[in-house]
Amino acid sequence: MEQRDRTPNEVLAENIGRKKSIAQRRWRILAKALIGPQEPISTMDDTEDEISVRRFTSFELLRIDRSENKNTTVDPDAATWYEYSTVLENKLYTVEIRRIKKNFTANELIGFNNTGNICVWPSEECLAYYLLKNRQLCRNRRILELGGGMSCLAGVIAAKYCEPKEVVLTDGNATSVNNVRRVVDRNGMSDFVECGVVQWAKAARAIRAARLVRAFVHPHLNGLRVKSWTGGRTKDLAKFAAKLYDVILCADCLFFDEARSDLVETIYGWLTNDGLALVMAPRRGSTFEKFTEAAVKRGFIARRIDRYDPTVWSKHLQLLDHSQEYCADLHYPILLELTKQKSTSPG
């Protein structure tokens, strides 16, 4: 029987189905690798082996010990507390982090607002360690962390040890933010650290709208931002939008292409003119480069730093030589410093 040519709609449907199938496999493997018992690598097919990225978990920059339960009541979420610590220049630095215990399904994990609920990613670990060794970056400054997941480890360490003026810790997922509030309270920082749900798409949309209206009507951008928020969780968004931040932290948030422009816009809209954004993430193919290009196009000066810390770099080289589970493209976090281009007066 002669095979007929497929219509454009049929070709499109097939391509969409193929992409959906790959995405489903990614999340199924992510759920299996992160929540369930780890399957031997040999049981995965080639596609699964290529997609799975969670066989490497930490650079061991911070020691992790299970904390004693300070409460006599049973945690309703069956979460576990851990102490993250390190010694630098003969001084002990320690924070307590609450890890959520939940068996997420693949469907629950789909979407960038959920990945931070399942672990502390190596990029967050490296950024936290970097801040400890460069505490002057946050001293007496307003700090904002975007996409901090269930721990906001970098922001928590900055709050506890870097002498900031103010700290705001955010994630797009309410479960993560509720957990971070528990972490902040446990570490005794509720008086100067705020937590809230911030989804970049909503934030970027409001920032863009505010900029357009400001050009014609309103002389004060911050005041306008508060009025421009729409949708759920307006209270959190409006509160955070009323300020600009001197330092913005962002760890391992570049994986999803669809969120790239919104993240760039959110950072640009909330960063002071002389502020600094510290973005840390692995290359992961072209995702890091594409984010950098989008940031430069938006008006940032981008400075990529591969060797930002001698200890992290040394561990990276050791892993390259001795670990079969380690892949630099997937696991080594690169530091990207973003600053705004200085505007010059005409003439």
Side-chain angles (χ1 to χ4, degrees):
M1 180 180 294
E2 183 177 353
Q3 186 176 6
R4 67 177 179 83
D5 293 336
R6 292 178 299 170
T7 66
N9 286 340
E10 289 172 333
V11 173
L12 178 61
E14 180 181 336
N15 290 337
I16 293 173
R18 186 181 300 113
K19 291 180 179 178
K20 189 173 182 179
S21 176
I22 292 173
Q24 288 171 340
R25 286 201 300 274
R26 281 197 183 106
W27 288 110
R28 188 168 59 248
I29 293 161
L30 186 62
K32 178 173 64 177
L34 295 174
I35 294 98
Q38 188 102 15
E39 294 289 340
I41 297 173
S42 59
T43 64
M44 298 181 179
D45 61 28
D46 291 341
T47 306
E48 289 179 331
D49 189 40
E50 179 182 346
I51 292 172
S52 179
V53 300
R54 187 57 184 162
R55 285 175 249 132
F56 170 78
T57 60
S58 172
F59 285 89
E60 299 181 351
L61 300 167
L62 305 172
R63 176 172 172 169
I64 305 173
D65 297 299
R66 187 162 178 165
S67 298
E68 294 182 5
N69 189 358
K70 297 181 179 179
N71 300 317
T72 56
T73 57
V74 177
D75 192 320
D77 299 322
T80 306
W81 286 94
Y82 289 86
E83 183 181 79
Y84 284 66
S85 63
T86 189
V87 175
L88 297 174
E89 299 176 350
N90 297 318
K91 182 178 179 179
L92 175 65
Y93 298 90
T94 176
V95 295
E96 292 194 73
I97 296 296
R98 182 177 183 262
R99 290 185 187 174
I100 299 171
K101 268 190 178 179
K102 179 180 177 182
N103 291 323
F104 289 91
T105 66
N107 286 335
E108 286 178 300
L109 288 174
I110 292 175
F112 70 93
N113 288 333
N114 293 304
T115 55
N117 273 325
I118 43 189
C119 63
V120 176
W121 295 94
S123 293
E124 185 87 14
E125 171 197 16
C126 289
L127 182 55
Y129 186 76
Y130 179 78
L131 291 174
L132 271 180
K133 295 184 74 172
N134 297 273
R135 296 186 296 280
Q136 75 284 353
L137 292 174
C138 298
R139 188 170 294 128
N140 200 32
R141 293 178 178 173
R142 285 195 174 97
I143 313 301
L144 168 68
E145 179 164 14
L146 296 171
M150 68 173 175
S151 72
C152 284
L153 179 62
V156 166
I157 281 185
K160 191 167 184 178
Y161 291 111
C162 298
E163 303 177 47
K165 182 177 181 179
E166 182 181 337
V167 177
V168 173
L169 306 177
T170 72
D171 190 73
N173 183 278
T175 302
S176 286
V177 172
N178 288 334
N179 193 66
V180 173
R181 287 194 178 100
R182 300 280 292 270
V183 170
V184 168
D185 182 64
R186 176 96 161 204
N187 287 276
M189 303 185 298
S190 299
D191 57 334
F192 68 98
V193 177
E194 295 183 272
C195 307
V197 175
V198 169
Q199 297 177 353
W200 309 327
K202 290 182 179 180
R205 186 163 56 247
I207 290 169
R208 293 183 183 110
R211 185 177 299 108
L212 288 175
V213 177
R214 181 192 180 206
F216 297 98
V217 178
H218 205 290
H220 194 323
L221 179 58
N222 287 344
L224 180 61
R225 280 187 194 158
V226 175
K227 298 177 182 179
S228 67
W229 293 111
T230 57
R233 305 192 182 276
T234 305
K235 185 177 179 180
D236 277 351
L237 293 170
K239 178 171 58 178
F240 302 147
K243 305 172 185 176
L244 296 178
Y245 300 89
D246 305 300
V247 179
I248 294 181
L249 310 174
C250 189
D252 212 345
C253 294
L254 313 186
F255 183 77
F256 294 93
D257 292 339
E258 62 269 25
R260 182 179 299 120
S261 62
D262 290 332
L263 178 56
V264 169
E265 188 64 46
T266 301
I267 295 173
Y268 194 91
W270 282 355
L271 188 67
T272 59
N273 287 335
D274 58 351
L276 173 67
L278 300 174
V279 180
M280 194 169 279
R283 287 196 309 271
R284 288 217 182 94
S286 61
T287 58
F288 189 96
E289 291 183 5
K290 287 180 178 178
F291 179 86
T292 303
E293 291 170 359
V296 171
K297 184 177 180 180
R298 180 61 189 86
F300 280 113
I301 297 172
R303 180 185 176 217
R304 168 178 168 158
I305 310 173
D306 290 74
R307 302 187 187 187
Y308 47 85
D309 181 82
T311 301
V312 179
W313 184 254
S314 176
K315 287 180 177 288
H316 161 66
L317 296 180
Q318 292 173 17
L319 287 162
L320 285 176
D321 289 338
H322 302 295
S323 175
Q324 294 182 347
E325 298 178 345
Y326 182 73
C327 171
D329 182 76
L330 299 176
H331 301 133
Y332 181 70
I334 301 166
L335 177 61
L336 185 68
E337 290 186 350
L338 298 178
T339 54
K340 290 185 176 181
Q341 296 181 11
K342 305 299 181 184
S343 58
T344 56
S345 301

